[in-house]
Coordinates of all heavy atoms in Angstrom, one line a residue:
Chain A
H102 N -12.3 -59.0 -1.0 CA -11.2 -59.1 -1.8 C -11.6 -59.4 -3.2 O -12.6 -60.1 -3.4 CB -10.3 -60.2 -1.3 CG -9.0 -60.4 -1.9 ND1 -7.8 -59.7 -1.5 CD2 -8.6 -61.0 -3.0 CE1 -6.8 -60.0 -2.3 NE2 -7.2 -60.8 -3.2
R109 N -16.4 -58.2 -5.3 CA -15.4 -58.2 -4.1 C -16.1 -59.1 -3.1 O -17.2 -58.8 -2.6 CB -15.2 -56.9 -3.5 CG -14.5 -55.9 -4.5 CD -13.2 -55.5 -3.9 NE -12.3 -54.9 -4.9 CZ -11.5 -53.9 -4.6 NH1 -11.5 -53.3 -3.4 NH2 -10.8 -53.4 -5.6
R114 N -7.2 -63.5 3.6 CA -5.9 -63.4 2.9 C -4.8 -63.9 3.9 O -4.7 -63.4 5.0 CB -5.6 -61.9 2.6 CG -4.5 -61.8 1.5 CD -4.5 -60.5 0.8 NE -4.2 -59.4 1.6 CZ -5.0 -58.4 1.9 NH1 -6.2 -58.4 1.3 NH2 -4.6 -57.4 2.7
E116 N -0.8 -64.8 4.5 CA 0.5 -64.5 4.1 C 1.4 -65.7 4.5 O 1.3 -66.2 5.6 CB 1.0 -63.2 4.6 CG 0.5 -62.0 3.9 CD 0.9 -60.7 4.5 OE1 1.7 -60.7 5.4 OE2 0.3 -59.7 4.0
Y170 N -9.0 -75.7 -24.7 CA -7.6 -75.6 -24.4 C -7.1 -76.5 -23.2 O -5.9 -76.8 -23.1 CB -7.1 -74.2 -24.2 CG -7.4 -73.3 -25.3 CD1 -8.5 -72.3 -25.3 CD2 -6.7 -73.4 -26.5 CE1 -8.8 -71.5 -26.3 CE2 -7.0 -72.6 -27.6 CZ -8.0 -71.6 -27.5 OH -8.4 -70.9 -28.6
G325 N -4.7 -58.1 -23.3 CA -6.0 -57.4 -23.5 C -7.2 -58.0 -22.9 O -8.2 -57.4 -22.7
K326 N -7.1 -59.3 -22.6 CA -8.2 -60.1 -22.0 C -7.7 -61.3 -21.3 O -6.8 -62.0 -21.8 CB -9.1 -60.5 -23.1 CG -10.5 -60.9 -22.6 CD -11.4 -61.2 -23.8 CE -12.9 -61.2 -23.4 NZ -13.8 -61.6 -24.4
V328 N -9.2 -64.6 -19.2 CA -10.4 -65.3 -18.9 C -10.1 -66.5 -18.0 O -9.2 -67.3 -18.2 CB -11.0 -65.9 -20.2 CG1 -12.3 -66.7 -19.9 CG2 -11.3 -64.7 -21.2
A332 N -12.6 -71.0 -22.2 CA -12.9 -70.0 -23.3 C -14.4 -69.9 -23.5 O -14.9 -68.9 -24.0 CB -12.2 -70.5 -24.5
T333 N -15.2 -71.0 -23.2 CA -16.6 -70.9 -23.5 C -17.5 -70.5 -22.3 O -18.6 -70.1 -22.5 CB -17.1 -72.3 -24.0 OG1 -16.6 -73.3 -23.2 CG2 -16.6 -72.5 -25.4
G335 N -15.9 -69.1 -19.2 CA -15.2 -68.4 -18.2 C -15.6 -66.9 -18.0 O -16.3 -66.3 -18.8
Q338 N -11.5 -61.2 -16.6 CA -10.9 -60.6 -15.4 C -10.4 -59.2 -15.7 O -10.0 -58.9 -16.8 CB -9.7 -61.5 -14.9 CG -10.1 -62.9 -14.6 CD -11.2 -63.0 -13.6 OE1 -11.1 -62.3 -12.6 NE2 -12.2 -63.7 -13.8
F339 N -10.4 -58.4 -14.6 CA -9.8 -57.0 -14.7 C -8.9 -56.7 -13.5 O -8.3 -55.7 -13.5 CB -11.0 -56.0 -14.8 CG -12.0 -56.1 -13.7 CD1 -11.8 -55.5 -12.5 CD2 -13.1 -56.9 -13.9 CE1 -12.8 -55.6 -11.5 CE2 -14.1 -57.0 -12.9 CZ -13.9 -56.4 -11.7
D341 N -6.0 -58.5 -11.2 CA -5.2 -59.7 -11.1 C -4.8 -60.0 -9.6 O -4.0 -60.9 -9.4 CB -4.0 -59.7 -12.0 CG -3.1 -58.5 -11.7 OD1 -3.4 -57.7 -10.8 OD2 -2.0 -58.5 -12.3
R342 N -5.5 -59.4 -8.7 CA -5.3 -59.8 -7.3 C -6.2 -60.9 -6.9 O -6.2 -61.5 -5.8 CB -5.5 -58.6 -6.4 CG -4.4 -57.6 -6.5 CD -4.7 -56.3 -5.7 NE -5.9 -55.6 -6.3 CZ -6.3 -54.4 -5.9 NH1 -5.5 -53.8 -5.0 NH2 -7.4 -53.9 -6.4
R357 N -3.3 -58.0 -26.4 CA -4.1 -56.9 -26.6 C -4.6 -56.8 -28.1 O -5.7 -56.4 -28.4 CB -3.4 -55.6 -26.2 CG -4.3 -54.4 -25.9 CD -3.4 -53.4 -25.2 NE -3.1 -53.7 -23.9 CZ -3.9 -53.5 -22.8 NH1 -5.1 -53.1 -23.0 NH2 -3.5 -53.9 -21.6
E366 N -25.4 -57.2 -33.8 CA -26.1 -56.7 -35.0 C -27.5 -57.3 -34.9 O -27.9 -58.1 -34.0 CB -25.4 -57.3 -36.2 CG -24.0 -56.8 -36.3 CD -23.4 -56.9 -37.7 OE1 -24.0 -56.2 -38.6 OE2 -22.4 -57.6 -37.9
P367 N -28.4 -56.8 -35.8 CA -29.8 -57.2 -35.7 C -29.9 -58.7 -35.8 O -29.3 -59.3 -36.7 CB -30.5 -56.5 -36.8 CG -29.6 -55.5 -37.3 CD -28.3 -55.8 -36.9
I369 N -31.2 -61.9 -37.3 CA -31.9 -62.2 -38.6 C -32.7 -63.4 -38.5 O -33.2 -63.9 -39.5 CB -30.8 -62.4 -39.7 CG1 -29.8 -63.4 -39.3 CG2 -30.2 -61.0 -40.0 CD1 -28.9 -63.8 -40.5
R370 N -32.9 -64.0 -37.3 CA -33.8 -65.1 -37.1 C -33.4 -66.3 -37.9 O -34.3 -67.0 -38.5 CB -35.2 -64.7 -37.3 CG -35.5 -63.4 -36.6 CD -37.0 -63.0 -36.7 NE -37.8 -63.6 -35.7 CZ -37.8 -63.1 -34.5 NH1 -37.1 -62.1 -34.1 NH2 -38.6 -63.7 -33.6
W373 N -30.0 -70.6 -35.9 CA -28.8 -71.4 -35.5 C -28.7 -71.6 -34.0 O -28.2 -72.6 -33.6 CB -27.6 -70.8 -36.1 CG -27.4 -70.9 -37.5 CD1 -28.3 -71.5 -38.4 CD2 -26.4 -70.4 -38.4 NE1 -27.9 -71.3 -39.7 CE2 -26.7 -70.7 -39.7 CE3 -25.2 -69.7 -38.1 CZ2 -25.9 -70.3 -40.8 CZ3 -24.4 -69.3 -39.2 CH2 -24.8 -69.7 -40.5
L375 N -31.2 -72.0 -31.9 CA -32.1 -73.1 -31.5 C -31.5 -74.4 -31.8 O -31.6 -75.4 -31.0 CB -33.4 -73.0 -32.3 CG -34.5 -72.2 -31.6 CD1 -34.4 -70.8 -32.2 CD2 -35.8 -72.8 -31.9
E376 N -30.7 -74.5 -32.9 CA -30.1 -75.8 -33.2 C -29.0 -76.1 -32.3 O -28.7 -77.3 -32.0 CB -29.5 -75.7 -34.6 CG -30.5 -75.1 -35.7 CD -30.8 -76.1 -36.7 OE1 -30.1 -77.1 -36.9 OE2 -31.9 -75.9 -37.4
H380 N -30.4 -77.8 -24.4 CA -31.5 -78.0 -23.4 C -32.8 -77.7 -24.1 O -33.8 -77.4 -23.4 CB -31.3 -77.1 -22.2 CG -30.0 -77.4 -21.5 ND1 -29.8 -78.5 -20.8 CD2 -28.9 -76.7 -21.4 CE1 -28.6 -78.5 -20.3 NE2 -28.0 -77.4 -20.6
D381 N -32.9 -77.7 -25.4 CA -34.1 -77.5 -26.1 C -34.8 -76.2 -25.7 O -36.0 -76.2 -25.5 CB -35.0 -78.7 -25.8 CG -36.1 -78.8 -26.8 OD1 -35.9 -78.5 -28.0 OD2 -37.3 -79.3 -26.5
L382 N -34.1 -75.1 -25.6 CA -34.7 -73.8 -25.4 C -34.7 -73.0 -26.6 O -34.2 -73.4 -27.7 CB -33.8 -73.1 -24.3 CG -33.6 -73.7 -23.0 CD1 -32.7 -72.9 -22.2 CD2 -34.9 -73.9 -22.3
N383 N -35.5 -71.9 -26.6 CA -35.6 -71.0 -27.7 C -34.8 -69.8 -27.3 O -35.4 -68.8 -26.8 CB -37.1 -70.7 -27.9 CG -37.3 -70.0 -29.2 OD1 -36.5 -69.3 -29.7 ND2 -38.5 -70.2 -29.7
A401 N -41.0 -68.6 -18.4 CA -41.8 -69.6 -19.2 C -40.9 -70.1 -20.4 O -41.1 -71.3 -20.8 CB -43.0 -68.9 -19.8
Y402 N -40.0 -69.3 -20.9 CA -39.1 -69.8 -21.9 C -37.9 -70.6 -21.4 O -37.0 -70.9 -22.2 CB -38.7 -68.7 -22.9 CG -39.8 -68.3 -23.9 CD1 -40.5 -67.1 -23.8 CD2 -40.1 -69.2 -24.9 CE1 -41.5 -66.8 -24.7 CE2 -41.1 -68.9 -25.8 CZ -41.8 -67.7 -25.7 OH -42.8 -67.4 -26.6
E406 N -33.5 -73.0 -16.9 CA -32.9 -74.2 -17.4 C -31.7 -73.9 -18.2 O -31.0 -74.8 -18.6 CB -34.0 -74.9 -18.3 CG -35.1 -75.5 -17.5 CD -36.0 -76.2 -18.4 OE1 -35.6 -76.9 -19.3 OE2 -37.2 -76.2 -18.1
A414 N -24.6 -68.4 -28.3 CA -23.9 -67.2 -28.7 C -22.7 -67.5 -29.6 O -22.3 -66.7 -30.4 CB -23.4 -66.5 -27.4
Y415 N -22.1 -68.7 -29.4 CA -21.0 -69.2 -30.2 C -21.4 -69.2 -31.7 O -20.7 -68.9 -32.6 CB -20.5 -70.5 -29.7 CG -19.4 -71.1 -30.5 CD1 -18.1 -70.8 -30.1 CD2 -19.6 -72.0 -31.5 CE1 -17.0 -71.3 -30.8 CE2 -18.5 -72.5 -32.2 CZ -17.2 -72.2 -31.8 OH -16.1 -72.7 -32.5
P418 N -24.6 -65.6 -35.9 CA -23.9 -64.7 -36.9 C -24.0 -63.3 -36.6 O -23.2 -62.5 -37.1 CB -24.5 -65.1 -38.2 CG -25.8 -65.8 -37.9 CD -25.7 -66.3 -36.5
H420 N -23.6 -62.0 -33.7 CA -22.8 -61.7 -32.5 C -23.6 -61.2 -31.4 O -23.1 -60.3 -30.6 CB -21.7 -60.7 -32.8 CG -20.8 -61.2 -34.0 ND1 -20.2 -60.3 -34.9 CD2 -20.4 -62.4 -34.4 CE1 -19.5 -61.0 -35.7 NE2 -19.6 -62.3 -35.5
V424 N -25.5 -64.9 -23.7 CA -25.2 -65.4 -22.4 C -25.3 -64.2 -21.4 O -25.9 -64.3 -20.3 CB -23.9 -66.0 -22.2 CG1 -23.6 -66.4 -20.8 CG2 -23.8 -67.3 -23.1
R428 N -27.8 -64.0 -18.2 CA -27.3 -63.7 -16.9 C -28.0 -62.5 -16.3 O -28.4 -62.5 -15.1 CB -25.8 -63.5 -16.9 CG -25.0 -64.7 -17.0 CD -23.6 -64.4 -16.7 NE -22.8 -65.6 -16.8 CZ -21.6 -65.7 -17.0 NH1 -20.9 -64.6 -17.2 NH2 -21.0 -66.9 -17.0
Chain B
M7 N -0.2 -56.6 4.7 CA -0.3 -55.5 3.6 C -1.8 -55.3 3.3 O -2.5 -56.3 3.1 CB 0.4 -56.0 2.4 CG 1.7 -55.3 2.1 SD 2.2 -55.4 0.4 CE 2.5 -57.1 0.3
P8 N -2.2 -54.1 3.3 CA -3.6 -53.9 2.9 C -3.8 -54.1 1.4 O -2.9 -54.2 0.7 CB -3.8 -52.4 3.2 CG -2.5 -51.8 3.2 CD -1.5 -52.8 3.6
L9 N -5.1 -54.2 1.1 CA -5.5 -54.6 -0.3 C -4.9 -53.6 -1.3 O -4.3 -54.0 -2.4 CB -7.0 -54.7 -0.4 CG -7.5 -55.0 -1.8 CD1 -7.1 -56.4 -2.2 CD2 -9.0 -54.9 -1.8
T14 N -0.7 -54.9 -8.6 CA -1.7 -55.4 -9.6 C -1.2 -54.8 -11.0 O -0.8 -53.7 -11.1 CB -3.1 -54.9 -9.3 OG1 -3.9 -55.0 -10.5 CG2 -3.1 -53.5 -8.9
G15 N -1.2 -55.7 -12.0 CA -0.6 -55.3 -13.3 C -1.6 -55.1 -14.5 O -1.2 -54.6 -15.5
L16 N -2.8 -55.7 -14.3 CA -3.7 -55.6 -15.5 C -4.2 -54.2 -15.8 O -4.6 -53.5 -14.9 CB -4.9 -56.6 -15.3 CG -4.6 -58.0 -15.4 CD1 -5.9 -58.8 -15.1 CD2 -4.1 -58.4 -16.7
R17 N -4.1 -53.8 -17.0 CA -4.6 -52.5 -17.4 C -5.5 -52.6 -18.5 O -5.2 -53.2 -19.6 CB -3.4 -51.6 -17.9 CG -2.3 -51.3 -16.9 CD -2.5 -50.0 -16.2 NE -1.5 -49.8 -15.1 CZ -1.6 -50.3 -13.9 NH1 -2.7 -50.9 -13.5 NH2 -0.7 -50.1 -13.0
E18 N -6.7 -52.0 -18.3 CA -7.7 -51.9 -19.5 C -7.9 -53.3 -20.2 O -7.6 -53.4 -21.4 CB -7.2 -50.9 -20.5 CG -7.4 -49.5 -20.0 CD -7.1 -48.5 -21.1 OE1 -7.0 -48.9 -22.3 OE2 -6.9 -47.3 -20.7
T19 N -8.4 -54.2 -19.5 CA -8.7 -55.5 -20.1 C -10.1 -55.5 -20.6 O -11.0 -54.8 -20.0 CB -8.4 -56.7 -19.2 OG1 -9.1 -56.4 -18.0 CG2 -7.0 -56.9 -18.9
A20 N -10.4 -56.3 -21.6 CA -11.8 -56.4 -22.1 C -12.5 -57.3 -21.1 O -12.1 -58.4 -20.8 CB -11.8 -56.9 -23.5
S22 N -16.1 -59.1 -21.0 CA -17.4 -59.4 -21.7 C -17.8 -60.7 -21.2 O -17.1 -61.5 -20.6 CB -17.1 -59.4 -23.2 OG -16.2 -60.4 -23.5
A23 N -19.1 -61.0 -21.5 CA -19.7 -62.3 -21.1 C -19.1 -63.4 -22.0 O -18.8 -63.1 -23.1 CB -21.2 -62.2 -21.1
P24 N -19.1 -64.6 -21.5 CA -18.7 -65.7 -22.4 C -19.8 -65.9 -23.4 O -20.9 -65.4 -23.3 CB -18.7 -66.9 -21.4 CG -19.6 -66.5 -20.3 CD -19.5 -65.1 -20.1
P25 N -19.5 -66.7 -24.5 CA -18.3 -67.3 -24.8 C -17.2 -66.4 -25.4 O -17.6 -65.4 -26.0 CB -18.7 -68.3 -25.9 CG -19.9 -67.7 -26.5 CD -20.6 -66.9 -25.5
H26 N -16.0 -66.7 -25.0 CA -14.9 -65.8 -25.5 C -14.3 -66.1 -26.8 O -13.4 -65.5 -27.3 CB -13.9 -65.7 -24.4 CG -14.4 -65.3 -23.0 ND1 -14.8 -64.0 -22.7 CD2 -14.8 -66.1 -22.0 CE1 -15.3 -64.0 -21.5 NE2 -15.4 -65.2 -21.1
E27 N -14.9 -67.2 -27.3 CA -14.5 -67.6 -28.7 C -15.8 -67.7 -29.5 O -16.8 -68.2 -28.9 CB -13.7 -68.9 -28.7 CG -12.4 -68.8 -28.0 CD -11.4 -69.7 -28.6 OE1 -11.8 -70.7 -29.2 OE2 -10.2 -69.4 -28.5
R28 N -15.7 -67.4 -30.7 CA -16.9 -67.6 -31.5 C -16.6 -68.4 -32.7 O -15.5 -68.6 -33.1 CB -17.5 -66.2 -32.0 CG -18.1 -65.5 -30.8 CD -18.6 -64.1 -31.2 NE -19.1 -63.4 -30.0 CZ -20.4 -63.4 -29.6 NH1 -21.2 -64.1 -30.3 NH2 -20.7 -62.7 -28.6
S29 N -17.7 -68.8 -33.4 CA -17.5 -69.8 -34.5 C -17.0 -69.1 -35.7 O -16.6 -69.7 -36.7 CB -18.9 -70.4 -34.9 OG -19.8 -69.3 -35.2
A31 N -18.7 -67.1 -37.5 CA -19.9 -66.8 -38.3 C -20.2 -65.3 -38.1 O -20.1 -64.8 -37.1 CB -21.1 -67.6 -37.9
S32 N -20.6 -64.7 -39.2 CA -21.0 -63.3 -39.1 C -22.1 -63.1 -40.2 O -22.4 -64.1 -41.0 CB -19.9 -62.3 -39.4 OG -19.5 -62.5 -40.8
L33 N -22.7 -62.0 -40.2 CA -23.8 -61.8 -41.2 C -23.2 -61.9 -42.6 O -23.9 -62.4 -43.6 CB -24.5 -60.5 -41.0 CG -25.3 -60.3 -39.7 CD1 -26.1 -59.1 -39.7 CD2 -26.3 -61.5 -39.6
Y36 N -22.9 -65.5 -43.5 CA -24.3 -66.0 -43.7 C -24.7 -65.7 -45.1 O -25.4 -66.6 -45.8 CB -25.3 -65.4 -42.7 CG -26.6 -66.1 -42.7 CD1 -26.8 -67.3 -42.0 CD2 -27.6 -65.6 -43.5 CE1 -28.1 -67.9 -42.1 CE2 -28.8 -66.2 -43.6 CZ -29.1 -67.4 -42.9 OH -30.3 -68.0 -42.9
R86 N -23.6 -51.6 -42.4 CA -22.6 -52.6 -42.8 C -23.0 -53.2 -44.2 O -23.8 -54.1 -44.3 CB -22.6 -53.7 -41.8 CG -22.1 -53.2 -40.5 CD -21.9 -54.2 -39.4 NE -22.2 -53.7 -38.1 CZ -21.5 -52.8 -37.5 NH1 -20.4 -52.4 -38.0 NH2 -21.8 -52.3 -36.4
N89 N -22.6 -56.9 -45.1 CA -23.6 -57.9 -44.8 C -24.2 -58.5 -46.0 O -24.8 -59.5 -46.0 CB -24.7 -57.4 -43.9 CG -24.2 -57.1 -42.5 OD1 -23.1 -57.5 -42.1 ND2 -25.0 -56.5 -41.7
N130 N -32.9 -54.1 -41.5 CA -32.7 -55.5 -41.6 C -32.9 -56.2 -40.3 O -32.4 -55.8 -39.3 CB -31.2 -55.7 -42.1 CG -31.0 -57.2 -42.5 OD1 -31.9 -58.0 -42.6 ND2 -29.7 -57.5 -42.6
G131 N -33.6 -57.3 -40.3 CA -33.8 -58.1 -39.1 C -35.2 -57.8 -38.5 O -35.6 -58.5 -37.6
G208 N -27.0 -74.3 -44.0 CA -27.5 -73.8 -42.8 C -28.7 -72.9 -43.0 O -29.1 -72.1 -42.1
K210 N -33.0 -72.4 -44.1 CA -34.2 -73.0 -43.6 C -34.7 -74.0 -44.7 O -35.7 -73.7 -45.4 CB -35.2 -72.0 -43.3 CG -34.7 -71.0 -42.2 CD -35.7 -70.0 -41.8 CE -35.1 -69.2 -40.7 NZ -36.1 -68.2 -40.2
P259 N -34.2 -65.5 -44.1 CA -34.3 -65.8 -42.7 C -35.3 -64.9 -41.9 O -35.9 -65.4 -41.0 CB -32.9 -65.7 -42.2 CG -32.2 -64.8 -43.2 CD -32.9 -65.1 -44.5
V260 N -35.3 -63.6 -42.2 CA -36.0 -62.7 -41.3 C -37.5 -62.9 -41.4 O -38.2 -62.8 -40.4 CB -35.6 -61.3 -41.6 CG1 -36.3 -60.3 -40.6 CG2 -34.1 -61.1 -41.6
L264 N -38.8 -69.3 -37.3 CA -37.5 -69.6 -36.6 C -37.5 -71.1 -36.3 O -36.4 -71.7 -36.3 CB -37.5 -68.7 -35.4 CG -36.4 -68.6 -34.5 CD1 -35.2 -68.1 -35.3 CD2 -36.7 -67.6 -33.4
H266 N -38.4 -75.2 -36.1 CA -38.5 -76.3 -37.1 C -40.0 -76.5 -37.4 O -40.4 -76.6 -38.6 CB -38.0 -77.6 -36.5 CG -36.5 -77.5 -36.3 ND1 -35.8 -78.6 -35.9 CD2 -35.6 -76.6 -36.6 CE1 -34.5 -78.3 -35.8 NE2 -34.4 -77.0 -36.2
D312 N -42.7 -73.2 -30.2 CA -42.2 -72.1 -29.3 C -41.2 -72.6 -28.3 O -40.4 -71.8 -27.8 CB -43.4 -71.5 -28.6 CG -43.3 -70.0 -28.5 OD1 -42.4 -69.5 -29.1 OD2 -44.1 -69.4 -27.8
R313 N -41.3 -73.8 -27.8 CA -40.5 -74.4 -26.7 C -40.7 -73.7 -25.4 O -39.8 -73.5 -24.6 CB -39.0 -74.4 -27.1 CG -38.7 -75.2 -28.3 CD -37.2 -75.2 -28.6 NE -36.9 -75.9 -29.8 CZ -35.7 -76.1 -30.3 NH1 -34.7 -75.7 -29.5 NH2 -35.5 -76.7 -31.4
R314 N -42.0 -73.3 -25.2 CA -42.3 -72.7 -23.9 C -42.4 -73.9 -22.9 O -42.7 -75.0 -23.2 CB -43.7 -72.2 -24.0 CG -43.9 -70.8 -23.6 CD -45.3 -70.4 -23.8 NE -45.5 -69.3 -24.7 CZ -45.5 -68.0 -24.3 NH1 -45.5 -67.7 -23.1 NH2 -45.7 -67.1 -25.2
R315 N -42.1 -73.5 -21.6 CA -42.1 -74.6 -20.6 C -43.5 -74.6 -20.0 O -44.1 -73.6 -19.8 CB -41.1 -74.3 -19.5 CG -39.6 -74.5 -19.9 CD -39.5 -75.6 -20.8 NE -38.1 -75.9 -21.0 CZ -37.6 -76.1 -22.3 NH1 -38.4 -75.9 -23.3 NH2 -36.4 -76.4 -22.5

Side-chain angles (χ1 to χ4, degrees):
Chain A
H102 188 92
R109 294 242 167 141
R114 198 160 66 242
E116 281 176 10
Y170 302 108
K326 197 174 196 185
V328 178
T333 46
Q338 301 302 313
F339 52 88
D341 60 356
R342 292 171 295 190
R357 203 171 287 282
E366 300 203 60
I369 55 168
R370 313 184 86 77
W373 287 1
L375 269 95
E376 314 244 338
H380 300 291
D381 198 33
L382 300 177
N383 190 334
Y402 279 111
E406 290 184 34
Y415 181 86
H420 304 147
V424 177
R428 280 191 179 160
Chain B
M7 255 200 289
L9 180 63
T14 164
L16 286 180
R17 297 262 176 276
E18 286 186 17
T19 50
S22 61
H26 304 283
E27 293 210 337
R28 287 181 185 264
S29 59
S32 67
L33 293 187
Y36 188 86
R86 294 184 215 291
N89 289 350
N130 189 14
K210 301 183 176 181
V260 183
L264 189 57
H266 294 179
D312 221 11
R313 300 187 186 183
R314 233 180 240 264
R315 290 322 188 232

